[in-house]
């Protein structure tokens, strides 16, 4: 599948448009491949490791794995069906060649090391290729060097070791850069392999075995997709989004990273750059709902088990997000790097970790309720913990917090109150299922109090909408989530949809809340939340029309970033963005489930 928006392969100031990137993954890390064949992002060994290939944020010293025809070329690409294996076809004046890219997986899941395979096949005529592997400085912390070993040259970059091997790839090695050139002819086959480890011995790849591993990787992805069960509308887009989400699931722990990158700008002028290589509780909720619907039992259980373990590791304190290993995140630190197209800052860490967000209680309890309703049973510790969360919500729901958008101004955000309602409503679902014990009468009473409070304080007759917080006339797109949660699917939510589309909308896209059009791009997930909300209030035809438009806004391989600039449809923010793809998946599910029969 592909979006309808053209993608520019030209590199400007050393950088390509963010729409240019496709993603590869092996369950542990993610590589980003530009249309010009350059891999500009690859952390080793994990997605949240400091990347040794980070040209994405530092053209001069970030490091990349380049492979492209020498002559001018036209390019088309696709993912092989049902996989995250990328196939790129280059056409030059002299011939046609095809490159197949993948992060190789093993016989029983991920390999013990990271292994990138780039297979080049000649199709017609001749195509001269050049390649170059340049290790980066790991965010200006090390100086990489090429070393000679008993078995040939390797690249040493601090605690990392990298091997470059190949077949028919014309190596020409020297200095801190490994490079070469070769000619693809009809039916010729060439292989370039990059393998890496950190703080452990390095396995030198054998190209013939990598070729077998590449074929196995295709089969592994297809086998996973065969277990994927969705036959509703927008099936191709839903499956591609599920595959994109799978790239962000950290197999060693089951965590779901919000995105594969840090510090891609939400505004081309800079200043709004964040690190999204963490796992948000919010995303777990949406992921569990989607995975349950798809029949993907293993990932569903892993996500739930990871979240429970992360809470236990933090002495039962619920953070809004965690590191992929379940530990508490550290403070944000600014790196001395230029950023994508010079748009800094480059950030490692995220200071929102200390915020109070009441809505995450709803996210947590709802994830567990969906898990149980899918046919699972909670352990004793989790049952006690969830009952305690419900009791805690009864005590704190009236407090100010930072809201869905991690704002510094603490207020009585409407969406947060609705999230507290959702927590108690889901706790009552679990209680009815016999999975938690506690004081359901109290939960029911407080749930009703929240309903009344929101109706009295958070509705504006003048705006005919729920507002961001009591006394304001501002609007917040995250309120739309609570059509799906069930808080309100009546006339007030329908009117809120109209108000939000009028004030926050730009074509099919939505900004997050009032005033954001001057600061950032439109938030992709919000537009999918709108589609879901339309279906929830019975406006099916409008929901379908909006979904059709949004599906067409993906890039040429079906991926979404965090934001899109409505002016030119360029991508902004971190990429690929899990919440954007979760928004698409859950909107498609909601529209299908609520469609008139």
């Amino acid at each position: 599948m592909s979006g309808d928006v053209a993608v520019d392969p030209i590199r400007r100031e050393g950088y390509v448009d963010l729409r240019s990137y496709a993603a590869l993954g092996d369950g542990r890390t993610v590589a980003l491949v530009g249309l010009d064949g350059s891999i500009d992002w690859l952390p080793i060994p994990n997605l949240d490791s400091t990347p040794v290939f980070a040209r994405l944020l530092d053209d001069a010293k970030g490091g990349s794995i380049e492979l492209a025809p020498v002559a001018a070329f036209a390019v088309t690409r696709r993912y092989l069906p049902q996989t995250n294996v990328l196939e790129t076809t280059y056409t030059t004046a002299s011939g046609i060649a095809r490159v197949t890219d993948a992060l190789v997986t093993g016989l029983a899941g991920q390999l013990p090391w990271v292994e990138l395979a780039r297979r080049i096949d000649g199709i017609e005529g001749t195509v001269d290729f050049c390649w170059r592997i340049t290790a980066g400085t790991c965010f200006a912390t090390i100086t990489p060097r090429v070393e000679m070993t008993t078995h040939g040259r390797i690249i040493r970059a601090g605690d990392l070791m990298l091997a470059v091997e190949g077949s028919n790839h014309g190596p020409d090695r020297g200095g801190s850069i490994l490079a070469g050139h070769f000619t693809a002819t009809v039916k010729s086959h060439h292989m370039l392999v990059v393998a890496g480890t950190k703080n452990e011995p390095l396995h030198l790849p054998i190209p013939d075995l990598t070729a077998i591993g590449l074929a196995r990787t295709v089969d592994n992805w297809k086998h996973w997709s065969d277990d994927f069960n969705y036959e509703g509308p927008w099936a191709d887009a839903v499956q591609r989004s599920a595959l994109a989400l799978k790239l962000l699931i950290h197999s060693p722990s089951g965590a779901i990273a919000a995105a594969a990158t840090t510090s891609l700008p939400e505004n081309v002028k800079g200043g709004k750059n964040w690190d999204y290589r963490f796992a948000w509780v919010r995303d777990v909720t949406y992921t569990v709902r989607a995975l349950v619907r798809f029949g993907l039992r293993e990932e569903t259980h892993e996500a739930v088990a990871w979240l429970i373990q992360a809470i236990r590791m933090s002495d039962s304190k619920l953070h809004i997000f965690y590191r992929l290993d379940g530990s508490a995140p550290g403070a944000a630190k600014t790196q001395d790097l230029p950023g994508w197209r010079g748009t800094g800052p480059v950030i490692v860490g995220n200071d929102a970790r200390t915020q109070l967000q009441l809505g995450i209680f709803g996210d947590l309890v709802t994830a567990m309720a969906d898990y149980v309703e899918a046919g699972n049973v909670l352990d004793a510790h989790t049952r006690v913990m969830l009952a305690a969360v419900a009791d805690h919500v009864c005590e704190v729901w009236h407090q100010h917090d930072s809201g869905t958008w991690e704002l510094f101004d603490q207020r009585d955000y409407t969406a947060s109150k609705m999230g507290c309602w959702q927590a108690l409503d889901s706790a009552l679902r679990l209680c009815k299922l016999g999975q938690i014990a506690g004081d359901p009468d109290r939960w029911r009473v407080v749930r009703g109090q929240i309903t009344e409070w929101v109706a009295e304080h958070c509705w504006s007759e003048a705006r005919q909408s729920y507002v961001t917080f009591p006394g304001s006339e501002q609007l917040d797109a995250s309120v739309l989530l609570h059509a799906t949660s069930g808080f309100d699917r009546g006339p007030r939510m329908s009117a809120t949809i109209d108000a939000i589309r009028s004030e926050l909308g730009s074509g099919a896209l939505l900004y997050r809340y009032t005033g954001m059009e001057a600061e950032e791009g439109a938030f992709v997930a919000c537009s999918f939340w709108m589609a879901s909300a339309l279906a929830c209030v019975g406006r099916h035809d409008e929901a379908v029309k909006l979904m059709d438009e949004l599906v067409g806004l993906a890039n040429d391989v079906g991926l979404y970033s965090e934001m899109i600039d409505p002016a030119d449809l360029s991508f902004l923010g971190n990429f690929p963005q899990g919440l954007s793809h979760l928004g698409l998946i859950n909107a498609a599910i909601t529209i299908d489930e609520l469609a008139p029969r």
Side-chain angles (χ1 to χ4, degrees):
M1 66 161 292
S2 63
D4 299 328
V5 183
V7 181
D8 186 354
I10 303 301
R11 196 168 284 270
R12 295 182 178 86
E13 302 173 3
Y15 302 90
V16 295
D17 291 347
L18 298 181
R19 266 192 178 273
S20 175
Y21 286 109
L24 315 172
D26 63 358
R28 187 167 50 179
T29 191
V30 171
L32 298 185
V33 190
L35 261 177
D36 63 354
S38 179
I39 292 177
D40 294 344
W41 185 262
L42 176 55
I44 295 175
N46 297 312
L47 182 150
D48 57 354
S49 300
T50 302
V52 66
F53 298 107
R55 186 183 190 184
L56 180 69
L57 299 176
D58 182 0
D59 173 59
K61 298 179 181 179
S64 61
I65 303 170
E66 299 173 80
L67 172 66
V70 175
F73 58 83
V75 58
T76 60
R77 63 183 180 176
R78 63 168 188 155
Y79 283 112
L80 294 179
Q82 299 182 293
T83 79
N84 279 315
V85 175
L86 186 68
E87 181 185 85
T88 305
T89 301
Y90 294 100
T91 302
T92 70
S94 61
I96 300 173
R98 184 171 296 138
V99 176
T100 304
D101 287 318
L103 285 174
V104 178
T105 54
L107 291 170
Q110 65 190 36
L111 290 171
W113 56 86
V114 173
E115 184 167 308
L116 170 73
R118 312 198 76 175
R119 188 186 71 204
I120 304 92
D121 299 305
I123 307 299
E124 293 182 12
T126 63
V127 181
D128 293 332
F129 276 86
C130 61
W131 59 268
R132 180 169 65 175
I133 288 92
T134 309
T137 61
C138 291
F139 286 179
T141 61
I142 58 96
T143 300
R145 65 185 186 274
V146 175
E147 291 185 359
M148 178 60 73
T149 73
T150 303
H151 300 294
R153 293 180 186 268
I154 66 166
I155 300 174
R156 191 179 297 277
D159 295 332
L160 290 167
M161 288 194 293
L162 304 169
V164 179
E165 300 291 341
S167 59
N168 301 321
H169 65 310
D172 178 17
R173 299 170 173 171
S176 63
I177 297 171
L178 302 185
H181 58 85
F182 59 89
T183 300
T185 59
V186 177
K187 296 185 179 180
S188 69
H189 304 288
H190 316 260
M191 181 71 78
L192 184 64
V193 188
V194 180
T197 57
K198 182 177 182 179
N199 286 326
E200 62 186 43
L202 176 64
H203 168 78
L204 300 185
I206 301 169
D208 287 347
L209 294 181
T210 298
I212 295 171
L214 178 57
R216 180 180 61 240
T217 301
V218 172
D219 290 340
N220 287 346
W221 281 117
K222 287 183 176 180
H223 178 72
W224 184 84
S225 292
D226 286 342
D227 286 343
F228 172 90
N229 180 28
Y230 178 79
E231 298 178 354
W234 309 285
D236 289 345
V238 169
Q239 183 171 69
R240 176 48 53 199
S241 285
L243 282 160
L245 182 63
K246 179 65 171 171
L247 290 174
L248 298 174
I249 296 177
H250 188 60
S251 292
S253 67
I256 300 136
T261 58
T262 178
S263 305
L264 293 178
E266 298 176 0
N267 184 320
V268 293
K269 297 179 181 179
K272 298 195 75 172
N273 300 9
W274 316 107
D275 190 350
Y276 277 9
R277 298 169 300 161
F278 299 96
W280 265 254
V281 174
R282 165 200 65 197
D283 292 2
V284 173
T285 303
Y286 309 144
T287 302
V288 167
R289 179 171 186 244
L291 296 179
V292 163
R293 175 65 172 79
F294 298 150
L296 297 172
R297 299 173 298 167
E298 293 178 20
E299 289 85 357
T300 304
H301 180 81
E302 287 171 350
V304 167
W306 169 83
L307 179 54
I308 292 169
Q309 183 62 25
I311 295 170
R312 289 177 180 174
M313 287 172 61
S314 57
D315 297 324
S316 296
K317 181 179 180 181
L318 184 60
H319 297 285
I320 61 176
F321 60 85
Y322 296 86
R323 291 177 56 85
L324 300 183
D325 63 5
S327 61
K333 297 180 180 179
T334 301
Q335 309 298 301
D336 186 18
L337 300 172
W340 178 78
R341 287 186 174 160
T343 308
V346 172
I347 302 292
V348 173
N350 194 313
D351 284 338
R353 73 194 194 287
T354 59
Q355 289 184 347
L356 173 64
Q357 288 186 23
L358 296 175
I360 63 167
F361 297 120
D363 295 331
L364 169 63
V365 186
T366 299
M368 299 303 162
D370 289 343
Y371 177 71
V372 169
E373 288 177 347
N376 302 293
V377 177
L378 299 178
D379 62 281
H381 175 92
T382 303
R383 294 183 185 197
V384 172
M385 181 265 289
L386 292 173
V389 167
D391 289 337
H392 183 65
V393 169
C394 291
E395 297 294 333
V396 303
W397 72 266
H398 58 279
Q399 292 183 8
H400 291 184
D401 76 331
S402 294
T404 304
W405 303 120
E406 300 169 3
L407 302 175
F408 293 108
D409 292 334
Q410 292 202 344
R411 297 182 182 274
D412 282 318
Y413 290 107
T414 301
S416 296
K417 305 310 180 191
M418 293 175 172
C420 290
W421 176 94
Q422 182 183 6
L424 296 176
D425 188 67
S426 295
L428 289 167
R429 287 163 56 195
L430 285 167
C431 191
K432 185 176 181 179
L433 291 165
Q435 286 296 291
I436 63 173
D439 190 350
D441 290 338
R442 183 191 186 200
W443 302 341
R444 193 173 292 108
V445 167
V446 176
R447 182 186 63 175
Q449 291 172 348
I450 296 172
T451 301
E452 294 173 2
W453 191 91
V454 170
E456 180 179 353
H457 297 283
C458 301
W459 173 260
S460 168
E461 283 294 329
R463 298 303 306 269
Q464 283 295 291
S465 176
Y466 291 113
V467 291
T468 303
F469 54 86
S472 79
E473 293 299 304
Q474 300 172 5
L475 302 182
D476 175 6
S478 70
V479 168
L480 298 172
L481 287 167
H482 295 287
T484 305
S485 77
F487 178 87
D488 185 352
R489 296 188 176 187
R492 282 192 169 186
M493 185 59 76
S494 187
T496 297
I497 289 171
D498 292 332
I500 287 175
R501 292 186 89 173
S502 176
E503 179 164 312
L504 306 185
S506 181
L509 295 165
L510 283 182
Y511 292 97
R512 293 188 296 154
Y513 54 92
T514 300
M516 286 301 97
E517 69 279 1
E519 296 186 19
E520 63 189 34
F523 197 78
V524 174
C526 288
S527 303
F528 288 115
W529 298 346
M530 172 66 75
S532 293
L534 284 165
C536 288
V537 300
R539 295 161 63 172
H540 176 78
D541 291 345
E542 293 176 71
V544 170
K545 182 177 183 295
L546 179 57
M547 274 293 289
D548 287 340
E549 293 182 62
L550 294 173
V551 166
L553 295 181
N555 74 357
D556 63 311
V557 289
L559 299 182
Y560 294 88
S561 59
E562 177 189 11
M563 296 182 179
I564 295 177
D565 186 341
D568 60 7
L569 300 181
S570 59
F571 278 7
L572 295 168
N574 286 304
F575 175 89
Q577 178 79 5
L579 194 59
S580 299
H581 288 280
L582 284 166
L584 185 154
I585 290 168
N586 283 312
I589 291 171
T590 299
I591 293 169
D592 183 42
E593 290 178 345
L594 298 178
R597 304 297 183 188

